[in-house]
Amino acid sequence: MKLDLILRVTTKAILPFILLFALYVHFHGDYGPGGGFQAGVIAAGMVILYSIVFGVEAAQRVISQRLVATMVPLGVLIYGATGVISFLYGANYLDYGVLGHDSKHGHHLGILLVESGVIITVAGTMTAIFYAFVQRGR
Amino acid sequence: MQALDAIVQNYNYAITVFLMVSGLYIVIASGNMIKKIVGLSLFQTSVYLLYISAGKILGGTAPIIDRNYTIYSNPLPHVLILTAIVVGIATVALGLAIVARIHEEYGTIEEDEIFKETGL
Amino acid sequence: MELYINMALLTMLAAVTVAIIVQRDLFSVVILSGIYSFLMASVLIVLDAVDVAMTEASVGAGISTVVLIGTLYLTGQKRELNYHRSIAVPLFVSLGTGAMLIWGTWGLPAFGIQDAPVHTHIAPTFLLESIPETGVPNVVTTVLADYRSFDTFGETTVIFTAGLGVMLLLGGSRRKKKKGETKS
């Protein structure tokens, strides 16, 4: 147990930076490479790293299975609801032009909302797949 | 010189064909289901290469608009393949989950042993 | 220059593929497929597809390898067993497919030229309209989440469905444990 001290301390130290990088990739996806899909996978990678080093029970105390199971449909709902909001403003489904005070800002906001839906679903699904495989083995 | 030029021009397509054929070969020839799934993902990946090669413009840059550049590679194949990669991992994960269940049911992931057991 | 980097990386990709074919140790196959994904990500960067390369590196080399190792752990199988299967049929089928694919590539435009048909239809519109219409410089994000957002909605649903499928397949209790109980 003592031998993996360095592993444990380093993992604890880099975990917040992995999450920060995921959020950077998500919110900077408009200006550089990245977006919801990549950010979701990186965020799931953080949970996977934590479970590999500290055990899956420790990870599930932080990110419970119930939370993960909620995230999977929640992202799809956010995506779908963005389209419904455009409906309510009198535009076509997923036409973001009406979301902001002018068309350009509306499109930018719409892209961000939709990508938020994607990151939640992808992060949730990848974590759920990992949990499912690990828990089957015990 | 002309022959060398022809090789350089068609190298991406040649490797795409090779990867696709190898993936297909693994899927058919290997009896092990995990290796079959790896072959399936090789097959998928060759398609990514074909699409992205078609979208490339020599001397161009990545499709992120900037004042200093005028030639950009085609963004449309990138979007299609971004979609395909994530769908690819979804199908691979589902396939592997089925493999794990097959192992619980039959105690093996070798095709031939399952055929022997069920008498097919 | 980029042409030769591209060719070198593609040659390494082909070498890793040959290694995957001949390797019988399953753990090696899984790790080789991770190496393959990283090489593919490097090729994609050379081919200007930075978003795709990022996805391939995180999904193909990261999650895919984790899930494959998870399956190895669940099944406990270390090697592919040798059953003296005939390789004639698979070889014939795959080489036949290869011949047809090579025949198909003859009609393709040369690699990397600017006036290929694929670059003339809708891509210039995307590149020109992205900043004025949405203010987003990354055209891939614009096309993904705006111009083709129905497509992405469908894809998110596919991921949702796959997650649901894996949870249903692996989430319940094992049947073997219940065998001792009486079937009512």
Side-chain angles (χ1 to χ4, degrees), chain B residues 7-9 11-13 15 17-22 24-26 28-32 34-38 42 45-46 48-50 52-65 71-87 89-90 92-94 96-101 103-105 108-113 116, chain C residues 2-3 6-7 10-11 13-14 17-18 20-21 23 26 29 33 36 40 43-44 46-52 55-56 59 63-64 67-68 71-72 74-75 77 80-81 83 85 87 90-91 93-94 97-98 101-102 105 108-112 114 118-119 122-123 126-127 131 137-140 143-144 148 155 158-159 162 165-166 169-170 174-176:
Chain B
I7 291 172
V8 171
Q9 290 294 333
Y11 201 71
N12 278 51
Y13 299 138
I15 294 289
V17 170
F18 175 72
L19 295 183
M20 187 172 263
V21 167
S22 314
L24 191 63
Y25 176 80
I26 294 174
I28 305 172
S30 173
N32 187 292
I34 291 181
K35 203 168 170 186
K36 257 187 208 298
I37 298 231
V38 170
L42 281 187
T45 320
S46 74
Y48 310 162
L49 188 60
L50 178 70
I52 302 294
S53 303
K56 167 76 179 168
I57 295 177
L58 280 174
T61 182
I64 297 169
I65 307 290
I71 305 170
Y72 302 100
S73 290
N74 195 336
L76 192 57
H78 299 186
V79 176
L80 299 177
I81 294 310
L82 199 67
T83 316
I85 289 179
V86 183
V87 171
I89 175 67
V92 164
L94 201 59
L96 288 172
I98 294 173
V99 170
R101 287 304 294 266
H103 181 262
E104 281 174 19
E105 205 64 32
T108 175
I109 50 168
E110 292 286 338
E111 224 176 41
D112 304 72
E113 285 184 11
K116 225 186 276 171
Chain C
E2 52 183 347
L3 210 55
N6 177 35
M7 284 175 75
L10 285 173
T11 313
L13 209 56
T17 312
V18 173
I20 291 177
I21 293 175
Q23 185 61 254
L26 287 178
V29 167
S33 85
Y36 174 93
M40 181 56 89
V43 172
L44 293 173
V46 177
L47 294 176
D48 290 344
V50 280
D51 287 82
V52 187
T55 320
E56 176 67 20
V59 169
I63 301 290
S64 180
V67 175
L68 277 167
T71 317
L72 278 186
L74 283 186
T75 56
Q77 195 144 1
E80 183 190 6
L81 301 177
Y83 266 95
R85 297 162 68 100
I87 63 161
L91 211 59
V93 171
S94 49
T97 315
L101 287 169
I102 287 171
T105 58
L108 289 174
F111 171 69
Q114 210 175 339
V118 65
H119 302 306
I122 198 159
F126 286 151
L127 288 166
I131 294 259
N138 187 351
V139 187
V140 177
V143 180
L144 183 85
R148 293 184 66 98
E155 187 202 353
V158 168
I159 301 168
V166 173
L169 277 169
L170 298 179
R174 283 174 187 244
R175 227 181 81 187
K176 276 180 185 166

Side-chain angles (χ1 to χ4, degrees), chain A residues 17-18 20 37-38 45 48 52 61 64 70-71 76 87 91 96 100-102 117 119 125 127 134 138:
Chain A
F17 295 103
I18 298 177
L20 194 67
F37 291 110
Q38 296 89 333
I48 291 172
I52 287 174
R61 273 200 296 277
S64 69
T70 320
M71 277 164 78
V76 182
F87 258 162
Y96 312 134
H101 55 87
D102 63 1
I119 186 182
T125 308
T127 316
V134 171
R138 44 193 65 223

